[in-house]
Each structure stands twice: as C-alpha cells, then as structure tokens.
C-alpha cells in the first residue's frame, strides 16, 4: 500500500494490490462463461479437479434456465494483484441486482456479442456504470461466431458511448476481443493469443486501484446477503474506509436511520469460489462479515462511536405487479407445506431483505398481498423459488404499474429491440401493432437479418415473449429497456380466445377430453384431478365454454375400445410457469403448489361468474 495524497484531515492511499471489477452485459452475451475462463486460468482449482462450466451459476434455477439471476462475488490472483470479480445478471428483469453491486467496483468489463452488438440491457448497464464513475473496458465476445462482425459492433458500441457519456474521458476506452468459451482474448483480430492473459493485463493497466482511507473511521455498505447453516448470515460489501477485525464492536446504520450496536463475529475475504477467514481486512477489499443477524441490503456498517452512513442504494421503481394470495381451490393444502396467509406473508417480506427491486404491500384482505417487480420473469422466478420451498398459493395475472399525475394516467413505456429475419417482419409488426407498439427504427443488414425497434407499453409486452417465439419459429431475439412513464396509450386489442372451463369435479377421462378437444386445445392429460371452475384448455372462439372432461362413455353391449379413442386424442399442451402467467385472463388465477400449477377462474361457481360479468357490464356502462 503506497501513500498517494493528503487532505486536510484524511490520509488517502492507493491499494495497488487490488482491482475491483464488475462484468456487465446483455443477457446471453457470455459473462458467466468468461468468468469460468478467468477462474480456470488463475489456477485456483487443483489439476485433477472437475469444475464444469458456468461455475458461478450455482443455484438450480440458474442452471435450468441458463441465465444468471443473482449477482455473485469471486476473486483471482494475477501477478500478485487480487482481482475481485462481480458477476452480474444480464436480463433486464434482474437489473436491481446490477444496481446494488456496481458500487463495489472501480471498473467494469462491458461484454458485447460480436453478432448482436449492443442490446437494450447493454445501454442500461453502461449508463449505470457511467453514473458512478466506473472505468469501462469493452470486450467484444464470441469472435468465433459464424456471422461475427467485430468492426461494425465496435462502431455501434462507440455510438452508444457517444450517446451516454457525460465526460470526454469516458470516450477513451480499451477494446479486447475474446472467445470466452475457449478462454482466449487478444487486443486485435484475427487473434493470435491462446489465453486470457491480454485481458488480465488490460484490467491491471486500465482499471484504477481503489483509493481509500485506511486510517479513517470504519465504513462499509452491505450490498449482498448470504446464509450458511453454521455461520449464519453473511453481510457482503466493499470496505470503503478504515479497518475491520474479528470481534470488533460496530454500529449498524439502517436505511431508515436507526442505529444498533453489533459485534463482528468473523471476517472473510474471497479467494476463488471460497470464502477464507481472516483476522482483519483493510479498506478497498470486498469482504463478508458475520454476526450481524439484522443487517439488510443498503445498511452501513460504521464506527461504533462516530457512525456515518453511506448514501443509500438507489433502485429504479417496479413496472409490473400481481397479487399473491392464499390458495382457495377445493384441493388446497394437499401438496404444500406452508399454506396460511401468515406463512406466505412472512416469506414475501423475508424476500425483501435480498431482493431490493421487489415491493410487497398488504391488501385490504388479510389473505392477499400486492407484489411488484421489474418484469414478468422477475416475479416468475420468485414464484418458482418459493413453490420449490413448499409454499402453496395463488397469483393473479401480471399487470403494469401505473401512476396518476395531474389527473392523467401514466404507464411504463419500454424500448423494445427485435432481431429476426425478413420473413417474419410482417407477422411481428402486426402482432406488436395490436399491443400499442410504435416503430422507431428498422435496420436491414443486407443479408436477410432485420433489427426492429419500438416503443411499447409494459402491459403490451406481458404475454408477448411466448407469442414471439411462435411467430418467428424460434428465429428471433428480443430485449427491452424501461424508458419511463408516458400517458396511457389506450386499450389493447383482444389477444386471447376464451377458456375451456371444467363443469364437474373428478378425474379427467379420455372420453371427456376427446369431446373437449373438438372445441379447442386441452392442458391436461387423462387421469388429472380437476374441479369445477378449473381452466382445462383454450377455446377456439371468444367467450368461455363449460366442458365436462370427467364424462365417461356410456356402457353398452357393443362398446368401442378405449385404444381407438386414445389414438385420436391429441397430446395435451402442458403450460410452463411463464406460459401459464401469460395465459390467464383478468378474471382468472393461477393456483401454484410444489407439485402442480392449475389455471382457474377467480369465481369457481358458474352462477357467481355470471353475476360478476353482469356487474362488470353494468359498471362499465355507467362509467
């Protein structure tokens, strides 16, 4: 550590032995794969150790979906310098994870795909990096792709920097070309390097070392929480000032300004994928401490006698909301371990400790809670997480979060980027027009690939991702970025046909399903337990249709064999969680249990549904 400058009251030092970097990018541009290469080439694993790929995507949901959901910390050593690496999510719905961890870094690796170029989330993360003064290094990744166009992508990235930069020095950035999957990087193309050494050298040269006050009063902001069955809660963050030791008494300054005196139990630093216990840590390093059972994200760990809070972490507001409630179906309580409103409420509020972009509000009914997040996927991951923990509940259709300003209703508007081929431009444009989208740009690369850009209400995007995959037959990519709130654009065109609704309770039978399939497509297989009011399929027309899927063929002396019916039965369409959330209408709910998901009508009794429809009609006519 070398002394760099003196102020009137503080001694500042440069930690030349540390670099703190965040890896930021749009989803699927190769962040986690590049981190794999950095870890493997820093020799943190044994020679015979099998570590696999996507090492940082450690939980089941991340591995199943192939995306990073939670920001994570790791560290490697290169030429005697410790490089703390923060791996961040690339999906816009998890941008709250990015916002809360960027403060720990001094520089960032901005990954851009060599074919796709800058995408909406690329703009978002770069803007956030500029806001807090990070030094960017552009990494043009996946140079080995068949249609790689590194020169054009670099030009588009330079345009993005020109658009977002607020200072001239931000336009001077180094560029590294990489193939993350092969673990190689170079400063030029074609590439001659066979390792990631050029990237390591660029990090050491261009990412500034942290400037700290080692003798100042203790200050560290909690940006991440983790748990261990033996050591308890870990509070993770960057030590910005002072020194922290095992056994120190500190003051925890909460976000609301309240103070509590706490004692540090253990201090850890990151080393590869492990946390290593140390006696003390100095300013500039990213560390984890235990003993602070009540710590939450955004709290400041400060000096016990002279506590000073760091500025709060600013997180953008949610754009999508839905209602979580106690399961009220006739089969409630059979699958779940946690089913009561108290248990559901405790779990949702516990989620707020780590999921900073989430909001939970109690409703008038004690059995319902309004949950708001960054997007459909953000809320879908929450649903999937807690159902796997044994919770049973029901959720409503996702809706856009609106505001009323000066008597006008404002709604969130997003910038949507669609990459597809010329053959699908017509159907995509037609589908988006029905969702109040307005085209703002169209670029054809001359090779049959088209990029379409729109502004579209958030509510217009709800349910569109699955439709988009169908329309383009999988030959398309889309990404969106919140622009802000604008005046309500009007009603969306009717998007979904009516539902096939079970009229009887029991087990679905082949004969009953065959009759239902004459009127639409079904979501259940023979033998599935159904109840009155449960949605069992999609009708071919507008309006709902009651069907008896439990109907059995009448017994006669001459009876057709069931095998003949089985051959004519179309395989059921089994909805995933996201598909089910997209499918349900305003008068429907999704019953979620650890073992199943069942779309259902909000009112199970057909007479109650009729009264509710009549009431809505009269109310609409009166207004």
């Amino acid at each position: 550590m070398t002394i760099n400058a003196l102020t009137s009251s503080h001694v500042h030092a440069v930690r030349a032995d540390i670099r703190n970097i965040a890896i930021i990018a749009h989803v699927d541009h190769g962040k986690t794969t590049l981190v794999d290469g950095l870890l493997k080439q820093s020799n943190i694993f044994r020679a015979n150790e099998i570590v696999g790929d996507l090492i940082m995507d450690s939980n089941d949901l991340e591995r199943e979906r192939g995306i990073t959901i939670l920001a994570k910390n790791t560290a490697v050593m290169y030429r005697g310098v410790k490089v703390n690496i923060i791996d961040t999510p690339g999906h816009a719905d998890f941008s709250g994870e990015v916002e809360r961890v960027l403060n720990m870094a001094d520089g960032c690796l901005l990954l851009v795909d060599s074919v796709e170029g800058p995408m909406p989330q690329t703009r978002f993360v770069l803007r956030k990096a500029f806001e807090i003064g990070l030094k960017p290094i552009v990494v043009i990744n996946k140079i080995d792709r068949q249609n790689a166009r590194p020169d054009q992508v670099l030009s588009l990235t330079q345009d993005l920097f020109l658009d977002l930069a607020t200072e001239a020095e931000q336009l001077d950035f180094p560029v590294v070309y990489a193939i993350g999957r092969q673990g190689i990087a170079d400063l030029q193309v074609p590439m001659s390097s066979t390792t990631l050494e050029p990237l390591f050298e660029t990090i050491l040269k261009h990412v500034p070392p942290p400037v700290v006050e080692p003798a100042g009063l203790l200050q560290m902001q909690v940006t991440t929480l983790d748990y261990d069955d033996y050591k308890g809660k870990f509070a993770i963050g960057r030590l910005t000032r002072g020194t922290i030791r095992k056994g120190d008494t500190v003051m925890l300054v909460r976000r609301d300004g309240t103070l509590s005196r706490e004692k540090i139990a253990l201090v850890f630093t990151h080393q590869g994928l492990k946390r290593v216990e140390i006696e003390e840590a100095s300013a500039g390093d990213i560390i984890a401490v235990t003993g602070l059972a009540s710590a939450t994200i955004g709290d400041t760990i400060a000096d016990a006698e002279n506590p000073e809070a760091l500025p709060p972490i600013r997180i953008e507001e949610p754009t999508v909301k839905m209602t979580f409630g106690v399961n009220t179906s006739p089969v409630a309580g059979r699958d779940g371990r946690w089913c009561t409103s108290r248990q559901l409420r405790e779990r949702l509020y516990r989620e707020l400790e780590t999921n900073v972009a989430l909001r939970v509000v109690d409703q008038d009914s004690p059995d319902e809670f309004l949950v708001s997040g960054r997007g459909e996927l953000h809320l879908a991951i929450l649903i999937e997480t807690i159902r796997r923990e044994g919770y049973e509940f029901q959720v409503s259709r996702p809706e856009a979060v609106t505001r009323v300003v000066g008597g006008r209703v404002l709604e969130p508007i997003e910038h949507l980027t669609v990459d597809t081929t010329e053959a699908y431009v017509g159907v995509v444009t037609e589908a988006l027009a029905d969702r109040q989208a307005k085209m703002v740009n169209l670029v054809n690369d001359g090779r049959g690939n088209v990029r379409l850009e729109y502004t579209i209400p958030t509510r217009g995007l709800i349910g569109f991702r699955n439709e988009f995959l169908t329309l383009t037959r999988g030959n398309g990519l889309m990404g969106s970025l919140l622009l802000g709130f604008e005046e309500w654009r009007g009603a969306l065109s009717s998007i979904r046909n009516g539902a096939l609704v079970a009229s009887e309770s029991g087990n679905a039978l082949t004969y009953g399903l065959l009759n239902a399939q004459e009127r639409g497509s079904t979501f259940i297989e023979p033998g599935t337990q159904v109840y009155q009011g449960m949605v069992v399929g999609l009708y071919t027309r507008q309006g709902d249709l009651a069907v008896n899927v439990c109907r059995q063929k009448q017994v006669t002396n001459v009876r057709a064999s069931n095998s003949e019916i089985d051959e004519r039965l179309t395989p059921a369409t089994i909805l995933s969680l996201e598909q089910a959330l997209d499918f349900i209408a305003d008068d429907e709910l999704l019953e979620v249990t650890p073992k199943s998901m069942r779309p259902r009508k909000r009112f199970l009794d057909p007479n109650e549904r009729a009264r509710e429809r009549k009431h809505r009609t009269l109310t609409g006519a009166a207004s």
Side-chain angles (χ1 to χ4, degrees), residues 147 270 320:
N147 297 322
H270 294 90
V320 175

Side-chain angles (χ1 to χ4, degrees), residues 34 57 93 108 118 230 314 489 518 520 613:
L34 185 65
D57 285 348
D93 282 17
C108 62
Y230 301 101
R314 191 166 57 87
R489 286 196 180 179
E518 292 175 357
R613 280 196 301 271

Side-chain angles (χ1 to χ4, degrees), residues 106-126:
D106 299 297
C108 62
L109 301 184
L110 178 70
L111 264 68
V112 185
D113 188 286
S114 65
V115 175
E116 296 173 16
M119 294 289 280
Q121 183 70 356
T122 314
R123 171 180 290 270
F124 172 84
V125 293
L126 182 59

Side-chain angles (χ1 to χ4, degrees), residues 119 137 301 478 486 538 600-601 610:
M119 294 289 280
I137 297 171
I301 301 171
M478 60 176 282
E486 296 180 9
L538 179 65
R600 49 158 288 187
K601 287 296 178 181

Side-chain angles (χ1 to χ4, degrees), residues 392-413:
E392 187 173 309
F393 51 97
Q394 60 191 26
V395 297
S396 65
R397 175 178 171 78
E399 303 174 36
V401 175
T402 58
R403 300 175 182 173
V404 179
V405 178
R408 297 182 306 152
V409 178
L410 305 182
E411 65 174 336
I413 302 294

Side-chain angles (χ1 to χ4, degrees), residues 477-489:
L477 292 168
M478 60 176 282
S480 61
L481 175 67
L482 179 67
L483 293 175
F485 283 74
E486 296 180 9
E487 194 161 348
W488 185 266
R489 286 196 180 179

